[in-house]
Amino acid sequence: MGKVLLANLALGVAMAGAVAVTAQPAKKATPVAAKAEAALDRNILHVQVVLDKLGFGPGILDGRPGMSLTAALKGFQESRGLPETGKIDPRTLSALKRYAAWRPTKRLTLSAAALQGPFINPIPKDEAEKAKLPGLYYRSPLEKLAEMFHTTPAVLIELNSPQTRLAPGQAIVVPNALPTSRDYQGDIKPAWRQTLSNLNVDANQPRGAKIVVDKSDAVLRVLDAEDRLVGQFQATMGSSTDPLPLGTWKILHISPLPDWKFNPLILKKVDDSKAAQVIPAGPNNPVGVVWIDLSKEHYGIHGTAEPHQIGRAQSNGCVRLTNWDAARVSLMIKAGAPVIFQA
């Protein structure tokens, strides 16, 4: 890709938005560890950021090629009537130039609110112990900031000096996941409104009429009333023991900040002798920050505690997205909309 990409995507306009707020202050500054060994390609990060803002989720914003970026490019190309190469070819690059006001990274000054908790570390592995917790919160300020900017702790480390400390007043470099608006409309409870803001989910979303989950491409596609593709997100769906139930279903309801019912009787890889548990809500809940319930019993579309595994690890049959993509889909679609699972 070389210098051509940066030349064609010369960026300049900063977007406003406060850094997220949660509940309790961090006790002390947290040092950022040494840089990761693998190199981050800012040209690729640039493309990922643009696609992420346009609703063609490339997964983690990490400046690296891979299946998630290829799928996102194909979705963008389809939406623009371009050959679906999955590559950053000249015609795709030309189409991306109109969004040249979006920088690949932003330098932000951390506030005390950005580093607030509560935090839980370590998170116990045993479900009975998880059920005793007040919430499945982030483990650390670094994990919180990473999810806020649609990336991983390792990428934040890579973008910043080893001397950077996570403390109020410290400037850090982050992927430019900032939204154009946080003016969330409708009957949205304060905790969910804050979560959407924390995850930098844009309040301006296209209206979807149906969802198509495509097993072959490992993507969730949102189409409008005219069957035009208006959003696409990398997804994990099913496993060898819990395959994706092909067919047409519908959305029953959307539940922000859900708890999760750990029920061994319906989880094929769990010993039936274990007791059922209710796992409290939070970003590290197994179903993430939102549950989109489907007419297929026990199945839903939801977030995850492990965004880096999307499209790679198997699920218990449901459709799993990153927390920020699941939250975005929840704003694009309404109860009653059809959901098609296809091979």
Side-chain angles (χ1 to χ4, degrees):
M1 295 176 2
K3 297 180 180 179
V4 176
L5 180 60
L6 288 181
N8 282 314
L9 292 179
L11 308 177
V13 176
M15 289 185 295
V19 179
V21 178
T22 46
Q24 297 174 2
K27 301 283 185 181
K28 56 185 178 180
T30 305
V32 175
K35 286 187 178 181
E37 292 182 4
L40 178 152
D41 187 327
R42 286 181 61 89
N43 294 346
I44 293 176
L45 179 62
H46 208 160
V47 172
Q48 289 175 326
V49 162
V50 172
L51 293 172
D52 186 60
K53 289 179 181 294
L54 293 175
F56 298 93
I60 297 295
L61 301 181
D62 63 357
R64 292 166 172 84
M67 58 181 285
S68 296
L69 177 58
T70 297
L73 283 164
K74 286 183 177 180
F76 172 77
Q77 289 162 344
E78 177 184 342
S79 73
R80 268 56 177 184
L82 300 172
E84 295 171 34
T85 64
K87 298 179 180 179
I88 309 171
D89 52 45
R91 290 184 65 181
T92 301
L93 200 55
S94 178
L96 291 170
K97 287 197 318 185
R98 64 178 296 187
Y99 307 103
W102 295 332
R103 293 181 179 274
T105 59
K106 290 283 291 179
R107 181 176 292 274
L108 301 176
T109 301
L110 292 173
S111 66
L115 304 174
Q116 286 178 333
F119 302 108
I120 295 286
N121 195 13
I123 295 175
K125 293 183 179 180
D126 183 71
E127 305 299 338
E129 293 302 312
K130 288 180 182 177
K132 297 175 183 177
L133 298 174
L136 267 292
Y137 309 124
Y138 292 117
R139 295 175 181 85
S140 67
L142 183 59
E143 184 183 40
K144 176 187 172 186
L145 287 169
E147 186 145 290
M148 206 188 263
F149 295 103
H150 306 179
T151 191
T152 65
V155 171
L156 290 184
I157 290 167
E158 193 170 3
L159 285 171
N160 290 276
S161 161
Q163 287 72 46
T164 301
R165 298 180 65 82
L166 299 186
Q170 172 71 57
I172 67 167
V173 176
V174 297
N176 182 11
L178 293 175
T180 60
S181 171
R182 300 175 194 270
D183 185 19
Y184 307 107
Q185 299 296 311
D187 184 18
I188 300 178
K189 294 182 178 179
W192 182 230
R193 188 180 299 275
Q194 186 62 64
T195 299
L196 292 170
S197 181
N198 287 353
L199 290 171
N200 281 316
V201 175
D202 205 305
N204 297 319
Q205 297 294 338
R207 175 57 59 196
K210 72 177 178 182
I211 286 174
V212 176
V213 175
D214 196 319
K215 183 178 179 181
S216 61
D217 291 334
V219 294
L220 180 150
R221 296 155 58 85
V222 182
L223 294 96
D224 67 12
E226 283 73 44
D227 263 358
R228 294 175 299 199
L229 182 64
V230 294
Q232 178 183 290
F233 309 95
Q234 191 75 46
T236 291
M237 54 198 72
S239 66
S240 57
T241 56
D242 291 283
L244 187 73
L246 304 183
T248 299
W249 316 101
K250 70 176 180 179
I251 295 173
L252 296 182
H253 59 83
I254 298 173
S255 300
L257 304 177
D259 55 25
W260 178 60
K261 279 71 175 179
F262 170 74
N263 185 353
L265 297 180
I266 64 173
L267 297 172
K268 292 184 174 64
K269 295 182 180 180
V270 178
D271 188 341
D272 288 354
S273 66
K274 287 193 172 186
Q277 307 288 344
V278 176
I279 310 302
N284 274 312
N285 183 288
V287 297
V289 299
V290 65
W291 172 266
I292 302 174
D293 195 46
L294 303 181
S295 56
K296 174 65 174 174
E297 189 176 17
H298 305 309
Y299 281 81
I301 299 166
H302 61 85
T304 184
E306 298 181 316
H308 61 286
Q309 294 288 359
I310 293 300
R312 293 163 178 82
Q314 295 185 336
S315 74
N316 289 318
C318 293
V319 177
R320 186 192 307 161
L321 308 169
T322 65
N323 275 337
W324 56 88
D325 285 344
R328 183 168 189 164
V329 170
S330 77
L331 296 184
M332 298 174 73
I333 205 79
K334 291 184 177 181
V339 176
I340 301 168
F341 289 170
Q342 63 186 30

